[in-house]
Amino acid sequence: MTSSPRTCVLAIIITYNGKQWLDLCLGSLAGSSTPVDIAVVDNASQDGTQAVLRSKYADAITHLHCLQDNVGFGRAHNHVFAQPYVAQYDYILLLNQDAAVAPEALQYLLTSASLPNVGIVSPLHYGDADGAKLDVNFEDYYVSRAVERAGLPEYIREVSFVNAAVWLIPTAVVGALGGFNPLFSHYGEDTNFVHRMLALDKRVLVDRRARAYHLRKQIPRSEQSLTADKVYIMALVHLANVNVTWRESVTGALRYIMRKVRGAVNAGNYQLAFRLSTVVPKLIGQLSRARRSRNVRLPPGTCTEVTR
């Protein structure tokens, strides 16, 4: 008996109280014209997600990891990256629990992933199931950062960043970086991953032929609230950016915070200005840890093992 060809793509989905999205997300992979194996990490859901994964989707999921604690986006992915089975795959697809891919999306992404120096290939992210309008945050990244490069196919755009809702990554690139930086528990880890990847002269591409659907609540950028937590995360991103010197990263982080504080003051929102100013001492408390994390490739043991 001859064995069937191995699947070259491993899709990783991190779930947390995501029962409502499972049909959409896992169903889109089942309908993909390119077959994939699926690894799911559940971050200690409390809504019955784990039970549904173990029953309804038992045959669809190749590797299921149910954790005892919510360890966040990056560390949950690192848990899969550390598994021996990952080595058999050529590519890794990161797919949000509230996202889905069109049937032909992976076929297009794999073609583009063979272009020189590719680190990440992303489809267009739509914010509705009909594909009528781009996801609001993706549109901001794409419209302001997409560049048409000579030598690339006309359907490819190069960008400096795209959020990790749908990423196709060569497994070798994940190995070269060592996974996500655990300095970031939730949000910011994808930006840091891209910064470290760019330091290896890898490119972030968007394949305009490929479609995905990120069905989170669509809030216009002008209506998205500014919080101290958001400012803290972006300041950490500045600190951990390996593409600038440590002095430049510290200066950039502090300038970023003070720019946001001044904006709140100028808008007459003094309560917000005060809350944003409290980010400074919090950030100072992370200086040593952030400096140690400034590695293109995370050293062995950086990504702490998580509980099952």
Side-chain angles (χ1 to χ4, degrees):
M1 178 183 293
T2 58
S3 60
S4 59
R6 69 183 176 89
T7 304
C8 69
V9 180
L10 175 68
I12 303 177
I13 302 165
I14 311 302
T15 58
Y16 177 69
N17 292 344
K19 185 170 63 174
Q20 63 175 319
W21 302 112
L22 295 180
D23 285 345
L24 170 87
C25 182
L26 289 166
S28 75
L29 293 179
S32 172
S33 61
T34 300
V36 298
D37 282 357
I38 301 172
V40 176
V41 181
D42 184 77
N43 264 332
S45 291
Q46 302 299 311
D47 68 342
T49 292
Q50 290 189 8
V52 176
L53 291 170
R54 288 189 172 110
S55 55
K56 184 176 181 179
Y57 298 103
D59 293 337
I61 297 171
T62 317
H63 310 280
L64 177 61
H65 306 269
C66 292
L67 306 183
Q68 297 174 5
D69 303 299
N70 185 350
V71 300
F73 181 88
R75 288 183 68 199
H77 277 96
N78 288 345
H79 183 67
V80 176
F81 295 157
Q83 302 302 316
Y85 62 74
V86 172
Q88 68 184 288
Y89 298 97
D90 301 314
Y91 296 95
I92 293 173
L93 175 71
L94 272 56
L95 184 64
N96 266 29
Q97 67 175 0
D98 59 356
V101 290
E104 74 290 344
L106 266 176
Q107 176 185 340
Y108 291 137
L109 295 179
L110 285 168
T111 301
S112 298
S114 65
L115 293 168
N117 301 321
V118 170
I120 294 169
V121 184
S122 172
L124 294 173
H125 298 194
Y126 289 89
D128 64 295
D130 297 325
K133 187 172 177 56
L134 292 174
D135 172 79
V136 291
N137 286 349
F138 174 85
E139 184 175 26
D140 180 62
Y141 307 137
Y142 182 70
V143 170
S144 64
R145 308 185 194 194
V147 176
E148 187 174 358
R149 296 288 189 199
L152 290 177
E154 58 85 19
Y155 50 80
I156 293 292
R157 295 293 182 270
E158 185 170 354
V159 294
S160 58
F161 176 77
V162 61
N163 59 306
V166 191
W167 280 0
L168 184 72
I169 317 169
T171 306
V173 171
V174 174
L177 294 176
F180 285 102
N181 189 341
L183 179 68
F184 303 91
S185 60
H186 193 52
Y187 299 120
E189 58 271 90
D190 53 353
T191 307
N192 176 263
F193 188 96
V194 169
H195 283 168
R196 289 157 49 223
M197 192 198 72
L198 293 175
L200 295 177
D201 293 323
K202 299 294 183 181
R203 301 191 291 187
V204 183
L205 304 181
V206 173
D207 188 324
R208 299 190 298 153
R209 302 171 301 174
R211 290 184 165 222
Y213 311 96
H214 194 180
L215 303 182
R216 58 185 170 182
K217 186 176 181 180
Q218 297 292 299
I219 303 174
R221 297 286 287 183
S222 60
E223 298 177 17
Q224 294 182 20
S225 59
L226 183 67
T227 67
D229 284 343
K230 290 180 180 178
V231 170
Y232 171 69
I233 290 167
M234 290 312 300
L236 272 185
V237 167
H238 279 282
L239 286 183
N241 187 356
V242 296
N243 297 291
V244 297
T245 67
W246 173 242
R247 181 170 182 170
E248 289 170 334
S249 69
V250 173
T251 302
L254 293 175
R255 285 177 176 170
Y256 169 78
I257 296 169
M258 297 317 299
R259 187 165 65 247
K260 297 300 181 181
V261 171
R262 285 196 300 271
V265 170
N266 291 339
N269 193 338
Y270 300 111
Q271 286 187 337
L272 176 61
F274 173 76
R275 289 196 297 271
L276 298 182
S277 69
T278 65
V279 171
V280 174
K282 185 177 179 181
L283 192 71
I284 290 173
Q286 290 293 322
L287 285 178
S288 177
R289 186 174 174 220
R291 188 167 191 173
R292 291 196 305 271
S293 81
R294 287 169 55 86
N295 298 287
V296 173
R297 188 188 192 288
L298 299 177
T302 302
C303 305
T304 306
E305 184 66 20
V306 300
T307 55
R308 293 180 179 272

